[in-house]
Amino acid sequence: MKKQIRKWLTVLIPLLIGIGIIYYQYTTLTSEEIDKIKISFEKANYYYILLSLIIACVGYWSRAYRWKFALNHLGYDTKFSTNFFTVCVSYLVNLTVPRSGEISRAALLKKYENVPFDKAFGTIVAERIVDLLIFFLFVFIGFVSQFDKIYQFLLSENVSFQSLIITAIVGVFLFFGFILIWIYAEWQIILKLKKKLSGLVEGITTVYKMKDKWNYIFHSFFIWFSYLMMFYVAVFALPETSEINFDIVIMGFIFGSLAVGFSNGGLGAYPFSIALIFSLYGITKDVGTAFGWLVWTSQTILTILLGLISYVLLPFLNRNK
């Protein structure tokens, strides 16, 4: 019973957060701003949205292609079509429960390519670690280039520089405290976690040990480059965003990526965060909101279509398994 409750909560909480953000955003918009958003959707140049979706598909392809290097290192020669379709299904599943797609991806590979779940999941964890490091690189570049703008915004919100320093110091101490607890603690919960994660070690270390690690690293950067270009191309869809500077694009991309984890696929949170960041650079709330919903809606439709098609094709192309 408790397991079922937890399962439903993992679905409902992110969904309710997304709906709550949508409601808040809707109630804070004037009727005039809502009309402007509708007009933005009508006058948008959907050629650039289509181009953005094509670039997204290239990113899907690169992620599936990168996966084969890690799997080959473990001795599994999987079909590219299976890798690609499982990646597409995982994106679809992530729309329901955030990050649950990784589990379905490993489970599907076990079903159709007979790769042990823990090893397949280990390679996916390794991907996430690499992706996280690259994302932090984007964050570092974005925040360094926009430090003055961010600092002025924090001052306007009565956030002092001293409080930021104290928060950073506390964060560092908590991080090192967790590391020490993980290494030396004999607590039952820590020991259980270590036991569960022990089967993932081989998959996680594949990046360092694999023969094609430079190809793997190249595709890791290419995936994020495609994500950024997917976002950048979309700014040309609206006249009001078509001339914004690239550093603004990077900041929008960073906060849009962060927003995806707050609710189901970024429902509500994605357009809200885009509108908030763009407003710092003088872009009106209605334009920022329209752009956020335009990008989120198009990408979500693509994710649903590719995920459903892949889910149907996987058993068809693997009839003998």
Side-chain angles (χ1 to χ4, degrees), residues 183-264:
I183 294 173
Y184 297 108
E186 297 293 329
W187 302 340
Q188 200 65 26
I189 186 170
I190 297 294
L191 294 175
K192 285 182 179 180
L193 282 172
K194 285 182 178 180
K195 185 176 180 181
K196 287 185 177 181
L197 293 173
S198 62
L200 307 177
V201 173
E202 187 176 5
I204 295 172
T205 57
T206 52
V207 178
Y208 177 74
K209 295 179 180 179
M210 72 175 65
K211 179 182 177 182
D212 296 307
K213 61 183 174 184
W214 294 115
N215 288 326
Y216 186 96
I217 293 171
F218 167 78
H219 276 279
S220 297
F221 278 97
F222 182 79
I223 289 165
W224 281 93
F225 174 75
S226 68
Y227 289 166
L228 179 60
M229 288 299 102
M230 173 188 75
F231 186 87
Y232 176 60
V233 165
V235 303
F236 297 102
L238 296 177
E240 297 87 348
T241 59
S242 60
E243 296 183 2
I244 63 176
N245 295 330
F246 193 69
D247 52 355
I248 302 175
V249 171
I250 292 178
M251 293 304 294
F253 169 72
I254 290 170
F255 280 88
S257 300
L258 288 171
V260 171
F262 278 96
S263 58
N264 303 62

Coordinates of all heavy atoms in Angstrom, one line a residue, residues 183-264:
I183 N 31.6 7.7 3.1 CA 32.8 6.9 3.1 C 32.9 6.1 4.4 O 33.2 4.9 4.4 CB 34.1 7.8 2.9 CG1 34.1 8.4 1.5 CG2 35.3 7.0 3.1 CD1 35.2 9.4 1.2
Y184 N 32.6 6.8 5.5 CA 33.0 6.2 6.8 C 31.8 5.7 7.7 O 31.9 4.9 8.6 CB 33.8 7.2 7.7 CG 35.1 7.6 7.1 CD1 35.3 8.9 6.5 CD2 36.1 6.7 7.0 CE1 36.5 9.2 5.9 CE2 37.4 7.1 6.5 CZ 37.5 8.3 5.9 OH 38.7 8.7 5.3
A185 N 30.6 6.2 7.4 CA 29.4 5.9 8.2 C 29.1 4.4 8.1 O 29.2 3.8 7.0 CB 28.2 6.7 7.9
E186 N 28.6 3.8 9.2 CA 28.2 2.4 9.2 C 26.7 2.3 9.4 O 26.2 1.3 9.8 CB 28.9 1.6 10.3 CG 30.4 1.6 10.2 CD 30.8 0.7 9.0 OE1 30.1 -0.3 8.7 OE2 31.9 1.0 8.4
W187 N 26.0 3.4 9.0 CA 24.5 3.4 9.2 C 23.9 2.4 8.2 O 24.4 2.2 7.1 CB 24.0 4.8 8.9 CG 24.5 5.9 9.8 CD1 25.1 5.7 11.0 CD2 24.5 7.3 9.6 NE1 25.5 6.9 11.6 CE2 25.1 7.9 10.7 CE3 24.1 8.1 8.6 CZ2 25.3 9.3 10.8 CZ3 24.2 9.5 8.7 CH2 24.8 10.0 9.8
Q188 N 22.8 1.8 8.6 CA 22.2 0.8 7.8 C 21.7 1.3 6.5 O 21.9 0.6 5.4 CB 21.0 0.2 8.6 CG 20.5 -1.2 8.1 CD 21.6 -2.3 8.3 OE1 22.4 -2.2 9.2 NE2 21.5 -3.3 7.5
I189 N 21.2 2.5 6.5 CA 20.7 3.0 5.2 C 21.8 3.3 4.2 O 21.7 3.1 3.0 CB 19.9 4.3 5.5 CG1 19.2 4.8 4.2 CG2 20.7 5.4 6.1 CD1 18.2 5.9 4.4
I190 N 23.0 3.8 4.7 CA 24.1 4.0 3.9 C 24.7 2.7 3.3 O 25.0 2.6 2.1 CB 25.2 4.8 4.6 CG1 24.7 6.1 5.1 CG2 26.5 4.9 3.8 CD1 24.5 7.1 4.0
L191 N 24.7 1.7 4.1 CA 25.2 0.4 3.7 C 24.3 -0.2 2.6 O 24.8 -0.9 1.7 CB 25.3 -0.6 4.9 CG 26.4 -0.2 6.0 CD1 26.3 -1.1 7.2 CD2 27.8 -0.2 5.4
K192 N 23.0 -0.1 2.8 CA 22.1 -0.6 1.8 C 22.2 0.1 0.5 O 22.2 -0.5 -0.6 CB 20.6 -0.4 2.3 CG 20.2 -1.4 3.4 CD 18.8 -1.2 3.8 CE 18.4 -2.3 4.9 NZ 17.0 -2.1 5.3
L193 N 22.4 1.5 0.5 CA 22.6 2.2 -0.7 C 23.9 1.8 -1.4 O 23.9 1.7 -2.6 CB 22.7 3.7 -0.4 CG 21.3 4.4 -0.1 CD1 21.6 5.8 0.4 CD2 20.5 4.5 -1.4
K194 N 24.9 1.6 -0.6 CA 26.2 1.2 -1.2 C 26.1 -0.2 -1.9 O 26.6 -0.4 -3.0 CB 27.3 1.1 -0.2 CG 27.8 2.4 0.3 CD 28.9 2.3 1.3 CE 29.5 3.6 1.8 NZ 30.6 3.4 2.8
K195 N 25.3 -1.1 -1.3 CA 25.1 -2.4 -1.8 C 24.3 -2.3 -3.1 O 24.6 -3.0 -4.1 CB 24.3 -3.3 -0.8 CG 24.2 -4.7 -1.3 CD 23.5 -5.6 -0.2 CE 23.4 -7.0 -0.7 NZ 22.7 -7.8 0.4
K196 N 23.3 -1.5 -3.2 CA 22.5 -1.3 -4.4 C 23.3 -0.7 -5.5 O 23.1 -1.0 -6.7 CB 21.3 -0.5 -4.1 CG 20.2 -1.2 -3.3 CD 18.9 -0.4 -3.1 CE 17.9 -1.1 -2.4 NZ 16.6 -0.4 -2.3
L197 N 24.2 0.2 -5.2 CA 25.0 0.9 -6.2 C 26.2 0.1 -6.7 O 26.8 0.5 -7.7 CB 25.4 2.3 -5.7 CG 24.3 3.3 -5.4 CD1 24.9 4.5 -4.7 CD2 23.7 3.7 -6.7
S198 N 26.5 -1.0 -5.9 CA 27.8 -1.7 -6.3 C 27.7 -2.3 -7.7 O 28.7 -2.4 -8.4 CB 28.0 -2.8 -5.2 OG 26.9 -3.7 -5.2
G199 N 26.5 -2.7 -8.1 CA 26.3 -3.3 -9.4 C 26.4 -2.3 -10.6 O 26.5 -2.7 -11.7
L200 N 26.5 -1.0 -10.2 CA 26.5 0.1 -11.2 C 28.0 0.5 -11.5 O 28.2 1.3 -12.4 CB 25.7 1.3 -10.8 CG 24.3 1.0 -10.4 CD1 23.6 2.3 -9.9 CD2 23.5 0.4 -11.6
V201 N 28.9 0.1 -10.7 CA 30.3 0.6 -10.7 C 30.9 0.4 -12.1 O 31.5 1.3 -12.7 CB 31.2 -0.1 -9.7 CG1 32.6 0.3 -9.8 CG2 30.7 0.3 -8.3
E202 N 30.7 -0.9 -12.7 CA 31.3 -1.2 -14.0 C 30.8 -0.2 -15.0 O 31.5 0.2 -15.9 CB 31.0 -2.6 -14.4 CG 31.7 -3.0 -15.6 CD 31.5 -4.5 -15.9 OE1 30.7 -5.2 -15.2 OE2 32.1 -5.0 -16.9
G203 N 29.5 0.0 -15.0 CA 28.9 0.9 -16.0 C 29.4 2.4 -15.8 O 29.7 3.0 -16.8
I204 N 29.5 2.8 -14.6 CA 29.9 4.2 -14.3 C 31.4 4.5 -14.8 O 31.7 5.5 -15.3 CB 29.7 4.6 -12.8 CG1 28.3 4.5 -12.5 CG2 30.3 5.9 -12.5 CD1 28.0 4.6 -11.0
T205 N 32.2 3.5 -14.6 CA 33.6 3.6 -14.9 C 33.9 3.4 -16.4 O 35.1 3.5 -16.8 CB 34.5 2.7 -14.1 OG1 34.1 1.3 -14.4 CG2 34.4 3.0 -12.6
T206 N 32.9 3.1 -17.2 CA 33.1 2.8 -18.6 C 33.8 4.0 -19.4 O 34.6 3.8 -20.3 CB 31.8 2.4 -19.3 OG1 30.8 3.4 -19.1 CG2 31.3 1.1 -18.9
V207 N 33.4 5.2 -19.0 CA 33.9 6.4 -19.7 C 35.4 6.5 -19.7 O 36.1 6.7 -20.7 CB 33.3 7.7 -19.2 CG1 33.8 8.9 -19.9 CG2 31.7 7.7 -19.3
Y208 N 35.9 6.3 -18.5 CA 37.4 6.4 -18.3 C 38.1 5.2 -19.0 O 39.2 5.4 -19.6 CB 37.7 6.4 -16.8 CG 39.2 6.4 -16.5 CD1 40.0 7.6 -16.7 CD2 39.9 5.3 -16.1 CE1 41.3 7.6 -16.5 CE2 41.2 5.3 -15.8 CZ 41.9 6.5 -16.0 OH 43.3 6.5 -15.8
K209 N 37.5 4.0 -19.0 CA 38.2 2.9 -19.4 C 38.0 2.5 -20.9 O 38.7 1.8 -21.5 CB 37.8 1.6 -18.6 CG 38.2 1.7 -17.1 CD 37.8 0.5 -16.3 CE 38.2 0.6 -14.9 NZ 37.7 -0.6 -14.1
M210 N 36.9 3.0 -21.5 CA 36.5 2.6 -22.8 C 37.5 3.0 -23.9 O 38.2 4.0 -23.8 CB 35.1 3.1 -23.2 CG 35.0 4.6 -23.4 SD 33.4 5.1 -24.0 CE 32.4 4.7 -22.5
K211 N 37.6 2.2 -24.9 CA 38.5 2.4 -26.0 C 38.1 3.6 -26.8 O 39.0 4.4 -27.2 CB 38.4 1.2 -26.9 CG 39.3 1.3 -28.2 CD 39.2 0.0 -29.0 CE 40.0 0.2 -30.3 NZ 39.9 -1.0 -31.2
D212 N 36.8 3.8 -27.0 CA 36.3 5.0 -27.8 C 35.9 6.2 -26.9 O 34.9 6.8 -27.2 CB 35.1 4.5 -28.7 CG 35.5 3.5 -29.7 OD1 36.5 3.7 -30.4 OD2 34.9 2.4 -29.7
K213 N 36.6 6.4 -25.9 CA 36.2 7.5 -24.9 C 36.2 8.8 -25.6 O 35.4 9.7 -25.2 CB 37.1 7.5 -23.7 CG 38.5 7.7 -23.9 CD 39.3 7.6 -22.6 CE 40.8 7.8 -22.8 NZ 41.5 7.5 -21.5
W214 N 37.1 9.1 -26.5 CA 37.1 10.4 -27.1 C 35.9 10.6 -28.1 O 35.3 11.7 -28.1 CB 38.4 10.7 -27.9 CG 39.6 10.7 -27.0 CD1 40.6 9.9 -26.9 CD2 39.8 11.7 -26.0 NE1 41.5 10.2 -25.9 CE2 41.0 11.3 -25.3 CE3 39.1 12.8 -25.5 CZ2 41.5 12.1 -24.3 CZ3 39.6 13.6 -24.5 CH2 40.8 13.2 -23.9
N215 N 35.4 9.6 -28.7 CA 34.2 9.6 -29.5 C 33.0 9.9 -28.5 O 32.1 10.6 -28.8 CB 34.0 8.3 -30.3 CG 34.9 8.2 -31.4 OD1 35.3 9.2 -32.1 ND2 35.3 7.0 -31.8
Y216 N 33.1 9.2 -27.4 CA 32.0 9.3 -26.4 C 31.9 10.8 -25.9 O 30.9 11.4 -25.8 CB 32.3 8.4 -25.2 CG 31.2 8.3 -24.2 CD1 30.3 7.3 -24.2 CD2 31.2 9.2 -23.1 CE1 29.3 7.3 -23.2 CE2 30.3 9.2 -22.1 CZ 29.3 8.2 -22.2 OH 28.3 8.1 -21.2
I217 N 33.1 11.3 -25.6 CA 33.2 12.7 -25.1 C 32.7 13.7 -26.2 O 32.0 14.7 -25.9 CB 34.6 13.1 -24.6 CG1 34.9 12.2 -23.4 CG2 34.7 14.5 -24.3 CD1 36.4 12.3 -22.9
F218 N 33.1 13.4 -27.4 CA 32.7 14.3 -28.5 C 31.2 14.3 -28.6 O 30.6 15.4 -28.7 CB 33.3 13.8 -29.9 CG 32.6 14.5 -31.1 CD1 33.0 15.8 -31.4 CD2 31.7 13.8 -31.8 CE1 32.4 16.4 -32.5 CE2 31.1 14.4 -32.9 CZ 31.4 15.7 -33.3
H219 N 30.6 13.2 -28.6 CA 29.1 13.1 -28.7 C 28.4 13.7 -27.5 O 27.3 14.3 -27.6 CB 28.6 11.7 -28.9 CG 28.7 11.2 -30.3 ND1 27.7 11.6 -31.2 CD2 29.6 10.5 -31.0 CE1 28.0 11.0 -32.4 NE2 29.2 10.4 -32.3
S220 N 29.1 13.6 -26.3 CA 28.5 14.3 -25.1 C 28.4 15.8 -25.3 O 27.4 16.4 -25.0 CB 29.4 13.9 -23.9 OG 29.4 12.6 -23.6
F221 N 29.5 16.4 -25.8 CA 29.4 17.8 -26.1 C 28.5 18.1 -27.2 O 27.8 19.2 -27.2 CB 30.8 18.4 -26.4 CG 31.6 18.6 -25.2 CD1 32.5 17.7 -24.7 CD2 31.5 19.8 -24.5 CE1 33.3 17.9 -23.5 CE2 32.2 20.1 -23.3 CZ 33.1 19.1 -22.8
F222 N 28.4 17.3 -28.2 CA 27.6 17.5 -29.4 C 26.1 17.5 -29.0 O 25.3 18.3 -29.5 CB 27.8 16.5 -30.5 CG 27.0 16.7 -31.7 CD1 27.4 17.6 -32.6 CD2 25.9 15.9 -32.0 CE1 26.6 17.9 -33.8 CE2 25.1 16.2 -33.1 CZ 25.5 17.1 -34.0
I223 N 25.7 16.6 -28.1 CA 24.4 16.5 -27.6 C 23.9 17.8 -27.0 O 22.9 18.4 -27.3 CB 24.2 15.4 -26.5 CG1 24.3 14.0 -27.2 CG2 22.9 15.5 -25.8 CD1 24.6 12.9 -26.3
W224 N 24.8 18.4 -26.1 CA 24.5 19.7 -25.5 C 24.5 20.8 -26.5 O 23.8 21.8 -26.3 CB 25.4 19.9 -24.3 CG 24.9 19.1 -23.1 CD1 25.3 17.8 -22.7 CD2 23.8 19.5 -22.2 NE1 24.6 17.4 -21.6 CE2 23.7 18.4 -21.3 CE3 23.1 20.6 -22.0 CZ2 22.8 18.4 -20.2 CZ3 22.1 20.6 -21.0 CH2 22.0 19.6 -20.1
F225 N 25.4 20.7 -27.4 CA 25.4 21.7 -28.5 C 24.1 21.7 -29.3 O 23.6 22.8 -29.6 CB 26.6 21.5 -29.4 CG 26.6 22.4 -30.6 CD1 27.1 23.7 -30.5 CD2 26.3 21.9 -31.9 CE1 27.1 24.5 -31.6 CE2 26.3 22.8 -33.0 CZ 26.7 24.1 -32.8
S226 N 23.6 20.5 -29.5 CA 22.3 20.4 -30.3 C 21.2 21.0 -29.4 O 20.3 21.6 -30.0 CB 22.1 19.0 -30.7 OG 21.8 18.2 -29.5
Y227 N 21.2 20.7 -28.1 CA 20.2 21.3 -27.2 C 20.2 22.8 -27.3 O 19.1 23.5 -27.4 CB 20.4 20.9 -25.8 CG 20.2 19.4 -25.4 CD1 20.6 18.8 -24.3 CD2 19.5 18.6 -26.3 CE1 20.4 17.5 -24.0 CE2 19.2 17.3 -26.0 CZ 19.7 16.7 -24.9 OH 19.5 15.4 -24.6
L228 N 21.4 23.4 -27.2 CA 21.6 24.8 -27.2 C 21.1 25.4 -28.6 O 20.4 26.4 -28.6 CB 23.0 25.2 -27.0 CG 23.3 26.7 -27.0 CD1 22.5 27.5 -25.9 CD2 24.8 27.0 -26.8
M229 N 21.5 24.8 -29.7 CA 21.1 25.2 -31.0 C 19.6 25.1 -31.2 O 19.0 25.9 -31.9 CB 21.8 24.4 -32.1 CG 23.3 24.8 -32.2 SD 23.6 26.5 -32.6 CE 24.0 27.2 -31.0
M230 N 19.0 24.1 -30.6 CA 17.6 23.8 -30.7 C 16.8 25.0 -30.1 O 15.8 25.5 -30.6 CB 17.2 22.6 -30.0 CG 15.8 22.3 -29.8 SD 15.6 20.8 -28.7 CE 16.0 21.6 -27.1
F231 N 17.4 25.5 -29.0 CA 16.8 26.7 -28.3 C 17.1 28.0 -29.0 O 16.2 28.8 -29.2 CB 17.4 26.8 -26.9 CG 16.7 27.8 -26.0 CD1 15.6 27.5 -25.2 CD2 17.3 29.1 -25.9 CE1 15.0 28.5 -24.4 CE2 16.7 30.1 -25.1 CZ 15.6 29.8 -24.4
Y232 N 18.3 28.1 -29.5 CA 18.7 29.3 -30.2 C 18.0 29.5 -31.5 O 17.5 30.7 -31.8 CB 20.2 29.2 -30.5 CG 20.8 30.4 -31.3 CD1 20.7 31.7 -30.8 CD2 21.4 30.2 -32.5 CE1 21.2 32.8 -31.5 CE2 21.9 31.3 -33.3 CZ 21.8 32.6 -32.8 OH 22.2 33.6 -33.5
V233 N 17.8 28.5 -32.3 CA 17.0 28.6 -33.6 C 15.6 29.1 -33.3 O 15.1 29.9 -34.1 CB 17.1 27.3 -34.3 CG1 16.0 27.2 -35.4 CG2 18.4 27.0 -34.9
A234 N 15.0 28.6 -32.2 CA 13.6 29.0 -31.9 C 13.4 30.5 -31.7 O 12.3 31.0 -31.9 CB 13.1 28.2 -30.7
V235 N 14.5 31.2 -31.2 CA 14.3 32.6 -30.9 C 13.9 33.4 -32.2 O 13.3 34.5 -32.1 CB 15.5 33.2 -30.2 CG1 15.9 32.5 -29.0 CG2 16.7 33.3 -31.2
F236 N 14.3 32.9 -33.3 CA 14.0 33.6 -34.6 C 12.5 33.4 -35.0 O 12.1 34.0 -36.0 CB 14.9 33.1 -35.7 CG 16.3 33.4 -35.4 CD1 17.2 32.4 -35.0 CD2 16.8 34.7 -35.6 CE1 18.5 32.7 -34.8 CE2 18.2 35.0 -35.4 CZ 19.0 33.9 -34.9
A237 N 11.7 32.6 -34.3 CA 10.3 32.4 -34.6 C 9.5 33.6 -34.3 O 8.4 33.8 -34.9 CB 9.8 31.2 -33.9
L238 N 9.9 34.4 -33.3 CA 9.2 35.6 -32.9 C 10.0 36.9 -33.2 O 11.2 36.9 -32.9 CB 8.8 35.6 -31.4 CG 7.9 34.5 -30.9 CD1 7.7 34.6 -29.4 CD2 6.5 34.6 -31.7
P239 N 9.4 37.9 -33.8 CA 10.1 39.1 -34.1 C 10.7 39.8 -32.9 O 11.8 40.3 -33.0 CB 9.0 40.0 -34.7 CG 8.0 39.1 -35.2 CD 8.0 38.0 -34.3
E240 N 10.0 39.7 -31.7 CA 10.5 40.3 -30.5 C 11.7 39.7 -29.9 O 12.5 40.3 -29.1 CB 9.4 40.4 -29.5 CG 8.2 41.2 -29.9 CD 7.1 40.4 -30.6 OE1 7.5 39.2 -31.1 OE2 6.0 40.9 -30.8
T241 N 12.0 38.4 -30.2 CA 13.1 37.7 -29.7 C 14.2 37.4 -30.7 O 15.3 36.9 -30.4 CB 12.7 36.3 -29.1 OG1 12.1 35.5 -30.1 CG2 11.7 36.5 -28.0
S242 N 14.0 37.8 -32.0 CA 14.9 37.4 -33.0 C 16.2 38.1 -33.0 O 17.2 37.7 -33.6 CB 14.2 37.6 -34.4 OG 13.9 39.0 -34.6
E243 N 16.3 39.2 -32.3 CA 17.5 40.0 -32.2 C 18.2 40.0 -30.8 O 19.1 40.8 -30.6 CB 17.3 41.4 -32.7 CG 16.8 41.5 -34.1 CD 16.6 43.0 -34.6 OE1 16.9 43.9 -33.8 OE2 16.2 43.2 -35.7
I244 N 17.8 39.1 -30.0 CA 18.4 39.1 -28.6 C 19.9 38.5 -28.7 O 20.2 37.8 -29.6 CB 17.6 38.2 -27.6 CG1 17.5 36.8 -28.1 CG2 16.2 38.8 -27.5 CD1 16.8 35.9 -27.1
N245 N 20.7 39.0 -27.8 CA 22.1 38.5 -27.8 C 22.2 37.1 -27.4 O 21.4 36.5 -26.7 CB 22.9 39.4 -26.8 CG 23.0 40.8 -27.3 OD1 22.9 41.1 -28.5 ND2 23.1 41.7 -26.3
F246 N 23.3 36.5 -27.9 CA 23.5 35.0 -27.6 C 23.7 34.7 -26.1 O 23.4 33.7 -25.7 CB 24.8 34.5 -28.4 CG 24.9 33.1 -28.5 CD1 24.0 32.3 -29.2 CD2 25.9 32.4 -27.8 CE1 24.0 30.9 -29.3 CE2 26.0 31.0 -27.8 CZ 25.0 30.3 -28.6
D247 N 24.3 35.7 -25.4 CA 24.4 35.5 -23.9 C 23.1 35.4 -23.2 O 22.9 34.6 -22.2 CB 25.3 36.5 -23.3 CG 24.8 37.9 -23.6 OD1 23.9 38.1 -24.4 OD2 25.4 38.9 -23.0
I248 N 22.1 36.1 -23.7 CA 20.7 36.0 -23.2 C 20.1 34.6 -23.5 O 19.5 34.0 -22.7 CB 19.8 37.1 -23.8 CG1 20.4 38.4 -23.5 CG2 18.4 36.9 -23.2 CD1 19.6 39.6 -24.1
V249 N 20.5 34.1 -24.7 CA 20.0 32.8 -25.2 C 20.6 31.7 -24.2 O 19.9 30.8 -23.8 CB 20.5 32.5 -26.6 CG1 20.2 31.0 -27.0 CG2 19.8 33.4 -27.6
I250 N 21.9 31.8 -23.9 CA 22.5 30.9 -23.0 C 21.8 30.9 -21.6 O 21.5 29.8 -21.0 CB 24.0 31.2 -22.8 CG1 24.7 30.9 -24.1 CG2 24.6 30.4 -21.7 CD1 26.2 31.2 -24.1
M251 N 21.5 32.1 -21.1 CA 20.8 32.2 -19.8 C 19.4 31.5 -19.8 O 19.0 30.8 -18.9 CB 20.7 33.6 -19.3 CG 22.1 34.2 -19.0 SD 23.1 33.3 -17.8 CE 22.0 33.5 -16.3
G252 N 18.7 31.8 -20.9 CA 17.4 31.2 -21.1 C 17.5 29.7 -21.2 O 16.7 29.0 -20.6
F253 N 18.5 29.2 -21.9 CA 18.7 27.8 -22.1 C 19.0 27.1 -20.7 O 18.5 26.1 -20.4 CB 19.8 27.6 -23.0 CG 20.3 26.1 -23.1 CD1 19.6 25.2 -23.7 CD2 21.6 25.8 -22.6 CE1 20.0 23.8 -23.8 CE2 22.0 24.5 -22.6 CZ 21.2 23.5 -23.2
I254 N 19.9 27.8 -19.9 CA 20.2 27.2 -18.6 C 19.0 27.1 -17.7 O 18.8 26.0 -17.1 CB 21.3 28.1 -17.9 CG1 22.6 28.0 -18.7 CG2 21.5 27.7 -16.5 CD1 23.7 29.0 -18.2
F255 N 18.3 28.2 -17.5 CA 17.1 28.1 -16.6 C 16.0 27.3 -17.2 O 15.2 26.7 -16.4 CB 16.7 29.6 -16.3 CG 17.5 30.2 -15.3 CD1 18.7 30.9 -15.7 CD2 17.2 30.2 -13.9 CE1 19.5 31.5 -14.7 CE2 18.0 30.8 -13.0 CZ 19.1 31.5 -13.4
G256 N 15.8 27.2 -18.5 CA 14.9 26.3 -19.1 C 15.2 24.9 -18.8 O 14.3 24.1 -18.5
S257 N 16.5 24.6 -18.9 CA 16.9 23.2 -18.6 C 16.7 22.8 -17.1 O 16.3 21.7 -16.8 CB 18.4 23.0 -18.9 OG 18.7 23.3 -20.3
L258 N 16.9 23.8 -16.2 CA 16.7 23.5 -14.8 C 15.2 23.3 -14.5 O 14.8 22.5 -13.7 CB 17.2 24.7 -14.0 CG 18.7 24.9 -13.8 CD1 19.1 26.2 -13.2 CD2 19.3 23.7 -13.0
A259 N 14.4 24.1 -15.2 CA 12.9 24.0 -15.0 C 12.3 22.7 -15.4 O 11.3 22.3 -14.8 CB 12.2 25.2 -15.8
V260 N 12.9 22.0 -16.3 CA 12.4 20.7 -16.7 C 12.3 19.7 -15.6 O 11.4 18.9 -15.5 CB 13.3 20.1 -17.8 CG1 12.9 18.7 -18.2 CG2 13.2 20.9 -19.1
G261 N 13.2 19.8 -14.6 CA 13.1 18.9 -13.4 C 12.1 19.3 -12.4 O 11.9 18.5 -11.5
F262 N 11.5 20.4 -12.4 CA 10.6 20.9 -11.4 C 9.2 20.3 -11.6 O 8.4 20.1 -10.6 CB 10.5 22.4 -11.4 CG 11.6 23.1 -10.7 CD1 12.7 23.6 -11.3 CD2 11.5 23.2 -9.3 CE1 13.7 24.2 -10.6 CE2 12.5 23.8 -8.6 CZ 13.6 24.3 -9.3
S263 N 8.8 19.9 -12.8 CA 7.5 19.3 -13.0 C 7.6 18.3 -14.1 O 8.7 18.1 -14.7 CB 6.5 20.4 -13.3 OG 6.9 21.2 -14.5
N264 N 6.5 17.7 -14.5 CA 6.5 16.7 -15.6 C 7.0 17.3 -16.9 O 6.2 18.0 -17.6 CB 5.1 16.1 -15.7 CG 4.6 15.5 -14.4 OD1 4.4 16.2 -13.5 ND2 4.4 14.2 -14.4

